[in-house]
Amino acid sequence: MTLNATHDPALCSWVASANAVGSDFPIQNLPFGVFEFEGDGRIGVAIGDHILDLYAAIESGALVLGSEAACALSARTLNDFMGLGQCEWHAVRVAISHFLAEGSASHESLLRAMNKTTMRLPAAIGDYTDFYAARAHATNVGRMFRPDGEPLMPNWLHLPVGYHGRASSVVVSGTDIRRPSGQLKPDDAAPIYGPCRLLDYELEFGAFVGTANEMGSTIGIADAMNQLFGLVILNDWSARDIQKWEYQPLGPFNAKNFASSISPWVVTMEALAPYRSEGPARQSDDPPLLEYLQPAAGSADAIDVKAEVFLASADMRAQGTSPMKLSSGTLSDLSWSFAQMLAHHTSTGCPMNSGDLIGSGTVSGTEKSSRGCMLELCWRGTEPIELPDGTERRFLLDGDELTIVAFCEKVGAARVGLGSCSGVIQPATN
Ligand code: MN
């Protein structure tokens, strides 16, 4: 995707907070989300520490868009807009960039203060699929779960491994997470039903499907990135003890279906264009890819988004202690791109719908500081983490708040933030 005037790092907005150094939401970002207004959902665009109320902007005649886009953006979810495709997304981005630019008329009455607004899920998510695309994560988990075998399963280097997740339990950042109960198998004892003891998070990114494909058709690798609408931060909460007992032979089930959190602002692929790079990386002795998974010539399917993970216990929050940084990671550590995931997902003719969510899988690098979940960070509980409140963690405890932030930064381009994704663990009730 080529850069255009909306990416110009010199561009400023009449919304002063958008021009502050380090803002997640400068005028070059313009992510879409759904916020609550008078008991209803409205689509907005984040700008600095405010939200541009698109419904009000369109209704009042202040923001003039094509009729299809205007109609789609007056809805309660982003699904219709996601389905319009790249040309419409681009036209709307240009119009909003111009509307919010310094020098254009200011419309303070169309802004809502972000800190006084509740966010909702950006889309009605029909289907959610989670992949397993980071080599370091798959290798680490393979080593822990199957210490006697090859850490990578034989299929892993040939196809992006995934499973069909549960869309009904995808929640927006800020939603409390109830510790699940389930069937656990203690070593040397019969299975029991009870609260998960090994509750974990997974640092991931989620891609929203934009344009749909019909059942029986495929999305080719060359088109795949252009059919994705944008990215969010994803935390795939995981019950490791439930997972260990249930996962063979059909993969995770109850270990993953109780909650997945996403950040509320969808950063569009166009906003991320300055941060695309060649990739994903394959090692020289990896087997060749089948043609339908080979990146198109000259494509830049990797995205350099960085993420940081923070933990704050209930005591730390009560004492006003800053959250402790657990790890940091980058999406470009993935061995499979979202384009390959989408091409593989539809290679059978599986239809994707606008607003479907694709998870990257845990983003882990080869360094210990870039391990993207507690299972890896504490190496299955053998290397506990000490928190500033004097307690230890091997897995998450009740009252813990886990927060993931993500952003893109480099010289010569405006910083683009994805905001944050957080959740507090509540005690089990079953
Ligand atoms: Mn996952």
Side-chain angles (χ1 to χ4, degrees), residues 172-418:
V172 74
S173 171
T175 307
D176 282 345
I177 303 302
R178 178 75 55 192
R179 178 181 297 275
S181 291
Q183 189 173 138
L184 321 169
K185 170 77 172 68
D187 292 340
D188 309 320
I192 55 167
Y193 174 81
C196 163
R197 298 162 185 181
L198 309 182
L199 185 58
D200 202 357
Y201 65 90
E202 289 188 338
L203 157 59
E204 302 197 18
F205 290 91
F208 272 102
V209 173
T211 34
N213 67 301
E214 296 211 356
M215 187 159 169
S217 73
T218 61
I219 297 177
I221 184 106
D223 300 325
M225 285 306 258
N226 297 336
Q227 294 198 215
L228 293 171
F229 178 73
L231 291 192
V232 290
I233 304 164
L234 169 67
N235 180 351
D236 178 26
W237 304 99
S238 298
R240 299 300 183 196
D241 38 7
I242 298 175
Q243 183 177 1
K244 187 193 167 200
W245 175 228
E246 75 174 4
Y247 88 107
Q248 287 181 316
L250 290 185
F253 183 57
N254 281 338
K256 305 275 189 176
N257 73 2
F258 57 95
S260 309
S261 301
I262 61 170
S263 54
W265 294 106
V266 188
V267 175
T268 62
M269 287 311 219
E270 186 166 359
L272 295 167
Y275 295 96
R276 296 272 292 272
S277 61
E278 204 179 317
R282 286 182 71 81
Q283 296 175 4
S284 54
D285 54 348
D286 286 349
L289 291 170
L290 292 175
E291 198 179 338
Y292 79 99
L293 289 172
Q294 276 174 18
S299 68
D301 292 346
I303 312 170
D304 298 324
V305 196
K306 297 173 180 69
E308 295 176 348
V309 182
F310 296 88
L311 178 64
S313 66
D315 279 349
M316 286 167 67
R317 296 200 302 286
Q319 293 159 5
T321 309
S322 302
M324 180 183 171
K325 184 169 162 180
L326 295 182
S327 69
S328 51
T330 167
L331 185 57
S332 46
D333 270 340
L334 294 191
S335 295
W336 296 99
S337 67
F338 278 115
Q340 288 169 320
M341 295 180 220
L342 191 55
H344 183 64
H345 204 314
T346 61
S347 62
T348 54
C350 171
M352 307 296 291
N353 292 308
S354 305
D356 283 357
L357 182 65
I358 295 177
S360 61
T362 307
V363 177
S364 291
T366 48
E367 305 291 314
K368 184 171 181 183
S369 61
S370 62
R371 293 177 185 168
C373 63
M374 228 139 175
L375 177 71
E376 289 172 82
L377 266 179
C378 302
W379 208 256
R380 211 176 178 179
T382 59
E383 301 169 25
I385 294 167
E386 194 173 329
L387 299 189
D389 65 5
T391 58
E392 275 190 348
R393 287 294 178 283
R394 293 172 165 81
F395 288 94
L396 298 171
L397 298 184
D398 294 344
D400 284 352
E401 180 174 42
L402 199 288
T403 301
I404 305 172
V405 301
F407 52 89
C408 303
E409 254 178 3
K410 71 173 183 185
V411 174
R415 174 193 162 97
V416 170
L418 275 75

